[in-house]
Amino acid sequence: MEAVRVLNDLLARPTQEGVLEGTLSHASFLLGGNLRGYAVTRRGPGQDRVTAVFGYPKALVGTPLSGPWTTARTRALSDGSRELYEANPPELHGILDTCGMRDVALSLVVPVSDRGRNLGALVLDRNSSEDIGPSAQELVTHWAAAVAPLLGLLEGRENWRLAARQVSSAVVEAFESQEFDGLGHAQAVAQASVKLGRAVGLAERELDEVWFAATLHDLGKIHGEQGHPQFGANFLHGVPHLAEAQKAIRHHHERWDGQGEPDKLAGEDIPLYARILAVANAHVRLGDPERLRAQAGKGLDPRLVGLMEKVSAEPPAK
């Protein structure tokens, strides 16, 4: 799925261009495909530049442009690129012509703003005049709003950890609301996993990997229930600093008694983070200490079950 590409790009390559390329790709998917697009970011008044493209030549990246994206609302332009050409000097028209922008019949302009600050816009172009309905426009507007907070964080390539967590949560929440069992499940499992990991004595860097594993553990369900841990683990392929999180996702359906999947690992042969994730996931799903205790020594690590019961009984930290 295109949305997952945004996540993988940020985790492996935390740049505005990487994130916005994936954002444009998923926006096109939400609109049914057959669109091209570009993203502009604002450096200051009159300093808008193309930062990423989807379907347009890469040479367009870096081009300074003015255009119909100064308003704070999503707009569908039935006259295509007319406003774009009118807003820019003749010397830029040749670049726009080379990219085929005179053929655009309809443009959807989606502002990208965070807490009232105008960060830029997504522009999705279609060569046919087929209408983009209000519900489709709303989907893309919500998608842009989910990504917006990341762009400010990435401007100086600082706060990567916070940005990565935000985009992970946004992508998972988007899919939970459509395809997973319950909205907020991943967040609850992540909180329980970190609490359990801290009780085991993991360091903060290790707790970060546990958090990512727990947050992303069900993302593979976009390919269906069967085999989803392997699919989910593949989303972190190419992100070496989350290699342990990748193993945790792959093996969180193993069982302490060796009857799990995919590799029928048993006992402490199952990676620790996977055992932590399995206990935290069961804790959230079962919601009953006795039912969780019944899995100790069968599906789940008995020591971790005991720790989970202990930390879950503790009052929340102030």
Side-chain angles (χ1 to χ4, degrees):
M1 281 296 221
E2 289 82 354
V4 178
R5 181 178 151 191
V6 182
L7 170 61
N8 191 270
D9 280 344
L10 179 61
L11 296 178
R13 183 169 63 104
T15 65
Q16 283 193 337
E17 183 178 2
V19 171
L20 284 169
E21 280 180 3
T23 302
L24 288 165
S25 176
H26 187 59
S28 174
F29 168 77
L30 292 173
L31 296 174
N34 298 319
L35 292 100
R36 295 174 293 170
Y38 56 97
V40 293
T41 53
R42 172 153 292 185
R43 305 292 181 182
Q47 297 180 21
D48 298 340
R49 288 184 178 272
V50 177
T51 305
V53 293
F54 174 73
Y56 281 120
K58 279 273 192 181
L60 190 61
V61 173
T63 303
L65 284 182
S66 298
W69 45 75
T70 55
T71 63
R73 61 184 178 85
T74 298
R75 302 171 61 206
L77 307 178
S78 58
D79 51 3
S81 56
R82 180 183 63 80
E83 288 189 41
L84 179 66
Y85 276 84
E86 290 178 351
N88 289 282
E91 54 265 31
L92 285 179
H93 291 184
I95 297 174
L96 303 180
D97 288 347
T98 300
C99 293
M101 290 188 175
R102 284 201 188 271
D103 298 328
V104 173
L106 184 143
S107 290
L108 182 67
V109 181
V110 184
V112 179
S113 60
D114 180 36
R115 290 170 291 188
R117 180 184 171 209
N118 184 349
L119 300 178
L122 310 178
V123 182
L124 288 306
D125 293 333
R126 180 176 278 165
N127 286 358
S128 71
S129 56
E130 179 185 351
D131 186 39
I132 298 175
S135 59
Q137 292 184 35
E138 185 177 5
L139 274 176
V140 178
T141 301
H142 285 317
W143 175 236
V147 173
L150 311 176
L151 301 181
L153 290 170
L154 289 171
E155 280 178 333
R157 298 188 186 184
E158 299 173 350
N159 296 324
W160 174 88
R161 178 172 171 269
L162 177 58
R165 283 187 172 228
Q166 285 189 344
V167 77
S168 299
S169 297
V171 169
V172 168
E173 184 174 318
F175 280 109
E176 280 184 334
S177 65
Q178 297 175 47
E179 305 189 28
F180 292 169
D181 293 342
L183 190 62
H185 172 73
Q187 181 182 10
V189 175
Q191 290 173 347
S193 295
V194 169
K195 187 180 287 189
L196 182 55
R198 189 168 281 119
V200 170
L202 298 183
E204 286 302 314
R205 183 194 62 77
E206 296 171 313
L207 291 174
D208 258 357
E209 287 217 59
V210 169
W211 185 92
F212 278 106
T215 298
L216 305 175
H217 75 280
D218 273 347
L219 202 54
K221 286 185 178 180
I222 64 174
H223 288 283
E225 182 73 35
Q226 186 67 33
H228 77 263
Q230 295 98 301
F231 284 115
N234 289 341
F235 292 139
L236 291 181
H237 177 71
V239 188
H241 47 278
L242 292 179
E244 293 302 316
Q246 183 182 27
K247 285 197 292 187
I249 294 171
R250 174 180 172 83
H251 294 293
H252 77 277
H253 278 196
E254 304 283 4
R255 288 174 54 93
W256 185 259
D257 60 14
Q259 300 304 305
E261 297 292 341
D263 297 324
K264 297 195 180 302
L265 301 179
E268 294 189 358
D269 287 340
I270 304 168
L272 174 60
Y273 295 0
R275 284 181 275 142
I276 290 173
L277 173 53
V279 171
N281 192 31
H283 166 73
V284 171
R285 286 200 178 277
L286 297 175
D288 180 348
E290 288 189 12
R291 294 175 66 193
L292 181 67
R293 207 177 301 126
Q295 290 297 314
K298 298 176 182 176
L300 303 173
D301 182 332
R303 182 176 73 94
L304 294 180
V305 168
L307 276 176
M308 186 80 260
E309 188 172 1
K310 179 180 177 182
V311 298
S312 62
E314 295 173 353
K318 295 183 179 179

